[in-house]
Amino acid sequence: MGSFWLGILLQSLIFSIMVMGVYITYKILNFPDLSADGTFTLGASVSAILITKGINPFLSLIFSTLAGFLAGICTGILNVKLKIANLLSGILVMIGLYSINLRIMTKANLPLFNYETIFSEKNSLLIAFLFTFFVSIIFTLFFKTKLGYLIKATGANENMVISLGVNTGLVKILGLSLSNSLIALSGGILAQYQGFSDINMGTGIIIIGLASIIIADSIFKNIPSFNSSLICIIGAILYRTSISLSLKLGFNPSDLKLISCIIVILALGVGNSELNFKFASLKLFKEKKVNYV
């Protein structure tokens, strides 16, 4: 039983880095970037192929992050420079990355069982915790800088930022690049943890990211002490726990996508119900106030 919860925590920490990447586009930039599915596999592919070529596993993760950064630039250029809709830009990059990932790995599945990884003969939980800790610290500190606030402002009110003479197109490209670099880093770490990179390992990753954010945001949105990185980590833990418990209860692995959809629907439903209740209460209060006057 201990190994069951240990596995959930370890995978949650790895996925939480990806969730932080999705958080940048979904919550901060308000940009539905569907390229995450391809970028996650890109990070895994780059890390895996470099390890098989004798590159240090830690160094391979740097290249995975850079590959994700470049993928984010591609999505940004399609949207900003070529004026392609944000949703379609992400889809195009995701489709293109499928072929690129196959080219990188040279086959659909690349095993790493005979190679040294960052988890070889080390405390796996400690390694995952340290990666998540440092990424969350950098994530939090970055969005307290002027550039971080500029990305937030672009997502909240782009017209206002344009009126200040700032090139919001470049800001969007930077935000997408940072998002995809974190997603690719998470993919590289997961590939080393599970011992292989697979062409389909990124399928549905955007749903995992969104579900984690929505679950945690619905529960902790009224608690000021919960910053965005902490929400991503807790959300990933809650999501992975619900999925693992579903498997424990006897659901088939083929049902996981459906379960993920149901989790998202429930989280959104609860959040919207609370929002509607608040609006209704406010409206009733105003009506009573008018009647008293």
Side-chain angles (χ1 to χ4, degrees):
M1 192 65 172
S3 60
F4 172 76
W5 293 107
L6 186 66
I8 291 176
L9 180 59
L10 204 154
Q11 292 183 43
S12 299
L13 291 173
I14 296 174
F15 276 113
S16 65
I17 298 175
M18 175 274 298
V19 177
M20 292 180 205
V22 175
Y23 190 93
I24 294 175
T25 52
Y26 175 68
K27 293 288 287 185
I28 296 177
L29 270 182
N30 195 25
F31 189 108
D33 183 17
L34 297 184
S35 65
D37 288 19
T39 309
F40 189 83
T41 308
L42 175 65
S45 304
V46 170
S47 181
I49 194 65
L50 289 178
I51 289 174
T52 60
K53 300 297 182 182
I55 302 297
N56 183 280
F58 286 97
L59 185 60
S60 73
L61 292 176
I62 296 177
F63 285 101
S64 293
T65 306
L66 291 175
F69 193 87
L70 293 175
I73 290 177
C74 292
T75 305
I77 290 175
L78 290 179
N79 176 249
V80 174
K81 301 299 181 182
L82 301 182
K83 306 301 180 184
I84 299 175
N86 48 21
L87 195 64
L88 185 56
S89 298
I91 293 173
L92 289 172
V93 172
M94 177 184 66
I95 293 173
L97 284 176
Y98 186 89
S99 297
I100 292 173
N101 292 333
L102 276 176
R103 285 274 187 177
I104 293 172
M105 292 192 296
T106 69
K107 51 186 176 181
N109 187 285
L110 188 61
L112 297 173
F113 298 112
N114 296 324
Y115 299 93
E116 182 180 354
T117 68
I118 61 174
F119 297 102
S120 298
E121 299 178 2
K122 298 181 181 73
N123 189 325
S124 299
L125 183 60
L126 179 62
I127 294 294
F129 173 79
L130 290 175
F131 265 100
T132 305
F133 176 76
F134 285 117
V135 169
S136 63
I137 292 296
I138 295 171
F139 180 91
T140 302
L141 293 178
F142 174 79
F143 283 103
K144 289 184 178 180
T145 64
K146 290 183 179 179
L147 187 55
Y149 281 120
L150 190 59
I151 295 175
K152 287 182 177 180
T154 300
N157 192 337
E158 185 176 355
N159 292 329
M160 181 198 70
V161 179
I162 292 174
S163 67
L164 297 175
V166 176
N167 188 337
T168 57
L170 293 179
V171 175
K172 282 184 179 180
I173 293 174
L174 176 61
L176 288 166
S177 300
L178 294 174
S179 168
N180 283 278
S181 63
L182 291 178
I183 294 170
L185 173 61
S186 178
I189 296 173
L190 183 65
Q192 294 193 40
Y193 168 69
Q194 63 187 13
F196 65 89
S197 174
D198 188 84
I199 191 63
N200 294 315
M201 66 184 294
T203 303
I205 206 70
I206 186 67
I207 296 297
I208 297 175
L210 291 176
S212 301
I213 294 169
I214 291 168
I215 292 170
D217 197 45
S218 299
I219 299 174
F220 302 108
K221 60 184 175 182
N222 295 323
I223 303 178
S225 60
F226 277 76
N227 60 27
S228 52
S229 60
L230 193 57
I231 283 177
C232 293
I233 294 171
I234 294 176
I237 293 173
L238 292 175
Y239 174 82
R240 292 306 306 174
T241 301
S242 61
I243 292 297
S244 299
L245 288 177
S246 298
L247 292 174
K248 197 82 171 177
L249 291 173
F251 286 95
N252 294 323
S254 58
D255 297 329
L256 291 184
K257 301 300 180 186
L258 177 60
I259 295 171
S260 299
C261 291
I262 294 173
I263 291 172
V264 173
I265 292 170
L266 289 175
L268 283 173
V270 171
N272 290 336
S273 297
E274 291 179 357
L275 188 63
N276 291 333
F277 176 75
K278 288 180 180 178
F279 278 125
S281 300
L282 181 61
K283 184 178 179 181
L284 182 63
F285 173 77
K286 288 182 177 179
E287 289 177 352
K288 286 186 176 180
K289 188 174 181 182
V290 170
N291 291 333
Y292 288 143
V293 172

